[in-house]
Amino acid sequence: MTLPRNDTPVTTAPEAAADSLDLARAVAGLPEQMEAALASSQATEGAVDGSRIANVVVMGMGGSGVAGDIVSALAAPLMPVPVAVAKGYECPAFVGPTTLAIAVSFSGNTEETLTAATAAHDAGASVLAVTSGGRLAELAGEWAAPLYEVDSAIPMPRAAVGAISVAPLVALERAGLLSGIADWVDSAAAQLRTRRNAADGDGAAADPLEGIVRAVGNGELTPVFYGGGALGAVAAGRAKAQINENAKIPAFASFMPELCHNELAGWDQAGRLADGSPLAVIALRHDFEHVQLQRRYDFTHGVLDGARIAVPHAELHAAGDGPMAQLFDLIYQVDVLSLRVAAAARRDPGPIPLLEELKAFLA
C-alpha cells in the first residue's frame, strides 16, 4: 500500500516506555547543542595551517563516526582538498605530513579511533581531537594537538550528533579550507526550532507514519530507509543506527541512485500473500537531490506498490535554508521516529547492554 507523503511534523515519543537517560530531551535540545558547539569550537585554542594540507581524513565509530559522514556530505563538495572517512582500526595508507586527521570519539576511549589516530600521528599527520575526554584528550595533550571539547553532560554519543559534527566543520574553517559555518549553524538551528515547535502543536493527529511505527515496534515490520545523494545517504544511515540503538530492532538503509542498480530488483519478492510484507520503506527526501532522483523515487514507489506482496512505504521531507539545515532536519525527524518506535516496542532507548557486553568481551 502507498502511504501519504508526510509533510506533517514528527512528534515526540508517546509515553509507553521508560527513557532512563532522557534521550527525548537531548533530541529536543539539538539546536541549542549545535549553537553551544559552535561557540565552544570557535573559542578553542590552536588551529591547523591549511596551506600545507593536501587531504583530510575523519576517524570515528558509531555515534561519533557519523561526524565523518556529515563532514563528507556537507564540506567535501566545497573544499579544495579531498575528504575521506575512516571507520575502523586502520589508518589509510595515504595519510602523511600533508594530512589533516580529525579523530572523533565522544568518550575518548574508542579503541578503533585511538589506534587509527595514533597511526596518523606516527605518519606525520596534523591531528586534532573532538572528544569529551578519555585517552584521546590525553593524546591530544601529548601531541600538542588542538582539542575540541564536547559537552560530557550529553548522555550518549548518538545524542551528541550536533556537537561532534559542528566541531570538525569549525576546525576546517579555521584551517582556511571552508567558510560560512556560523551561518550554516544558524540556519540549521532555526529550522530545528521550527520543527520542534510544530511538533508541540496538534499536527500528530494525521501522522501517516503511525501505522509503520506501531508495526515496527510490534515486530511486524522491519524498516528500510532510502536516502538520495550524499545528504540522504547520511540521513538513512543515521535512521538505521538510531532504530538499532534506541529501539534495539534490526533496520536497514540504502541510497539513491545506487539502489536502483541492484536492490530494486529484489522487491518482487516470493512468499505467501497472506503473510504480507515483512518490510516497510521510509524515504528521506530533501531539496538538494539530483533532478533524476525524483523520477527514480517515483518509479520505485510503483515497484513497491506493484510487488507481489505490496510494500508499505512513506516519506519524510526536509525543510530549511541550505544543506546543513535540511540534513539536520532529517536527522531530527529520524531521531524522534526512533524514540517513537522504542516506545511502541516498550524498550528503554538509553542503555545498550549488548554493546557493553561486547566491550567487556574485547577487553
Side-chain angles (χ1 to χ4, degrees):
M1 63 179 175
T2 303
L3 296 179
R5 284 171 54 124
N6 178 28
D7 294 314
T8 61
V10 179
T11 59
T12 55
E15 295 182 0
D19 181 3
S20 62
L21 297 181
D22 206 1
L23 290 185
R25 180 183 296 273
V27 170
L30 183 56
E32 290 76 22
Q33 181 187 122
M34 295 179 73
E35 291 170 334
L38 176 65
S40 174
S41 298
Q42 289 176 329
T44 296
E45 296 182 358
V48 173
D49 179 8
S51 65
R52 58 183 291 273
I53 297 302
N55 50 72
V56 175
V57 60
V58 187
M59 302 168 167
M61 301 297 301
S64 299
V66 71
D69 301 325
I70 291 172
V71 169
S72 179
L74 293 177
L78 305 175
M79 289 172 53
V81 299
V83 177
V85 179
K87 296 186 177 184
Y89 295 94
E90 297 79 14
C91 175
F94 67 77
V95 170
T98 59
T99 299
L100 170 57
I102 304 175
V104 185
S105 170
F106 178 79
S107 68
N109 295 315
T110 308
E111 65 177 27
E112 300 97 325
T113 306
L114 292 173
T115 301
T118 299
H121 172 264
D122 292 346
S126 298
V127 179
L128 65 84
V130 179
T131 183
S132 67
R135 179 58 180 155
L136 183 56
E138 295 174 357
L139 288 174
E142 295 173 13
W143 298 339
L147 172 60
Y148 287 76
E149 295 187 78
V150 178
D151 184 0
S152 61
I154 298 172
M156 295 291 277
R158 61 189 183 276
V161 61
I164 61 170
S165 301
V166 169
L169 293 170
V170 171
L172 291 171
E173 182 174 51
R174 297 179 72 196
L177 299 172
L178 203 58
S179 62
I181 303 306
D183 290 338
W184 292 12
V185 172
D186 287 346
S187 294
Q191 172 55 32
L192 292 172
R193 288 192 175 94
T194 298
R195 180 71 63 182
R196 183 176 64 193
N197 292 340
D200 288 338
D202 56 1
D207 180 8
L209 280 179
E210 183 58 37
I212 289 180
V213 168
R214 187 165 50 251
V216 171
N218 291 339
E220 299 168 6
L221 289 174
T222 297
V224 180
F225 295 94
Y226 280 179
L231 298 182
V234 174
R238 172 72 177 186
K240 171 200 176 297
Q242 290 294 86
I243 293 291
N244 295 156
E245 295 194 53
N246 287 342
K248 286 75 175 176
I249 288 174
F252 302 92
S254 295
F255 62 93
M256 293 276 189
E258 174 63 22
L259 70 88
C260 291
H261 292 261
N262 35 63
E263 184 168 318
L264 188 62
W267 281 115
D268 192 14
Q269 55 192 334
R272 298 197 315 160
L273 295 178
D275 293 338
S277 172
L279 303 169
V281 171
I282 301 174
L284 307 176
R285 308 296 304 276
H286 59 87
D287 294 340
F288 299 93
E289 298 167 352
H290 190 281
V291 63
Q292 283 291 81
L293 290 188
Q294 174 63 64
R295 302 185 68 199
R296 289 177 181 270
Y297 274 115
D298 290 343
F299 185 87
T300 298
H301 291 163
V303 171
L304 297 175
D305 285 337
R308 184 170 182 272
I309 304 174
V311 181
H313 56 95
E315 294 186 343
L316 291 176
H317 287 258
D321 183 12
M324 174 180 257
Q326 296 214 358
L327 174 55
F328 274 88
D329 187 41
L330 286 176
I331 286 173
Y332 182 90
Q333 292 185 71
V334 300
D335 283 7
V336 174
L337 177 66
S338 73
L339 295 178
R340 293 173 58 199
V341 171
R346 300 188 181 278
R347 292 192 173 99
D348 184 346
I352 311 176
L354 184 65
L355 296 189
E356 295 304 316
E357 291 176 20
L358 173 61
K359 293 177 182 178
F361 175 81
L362 294 174

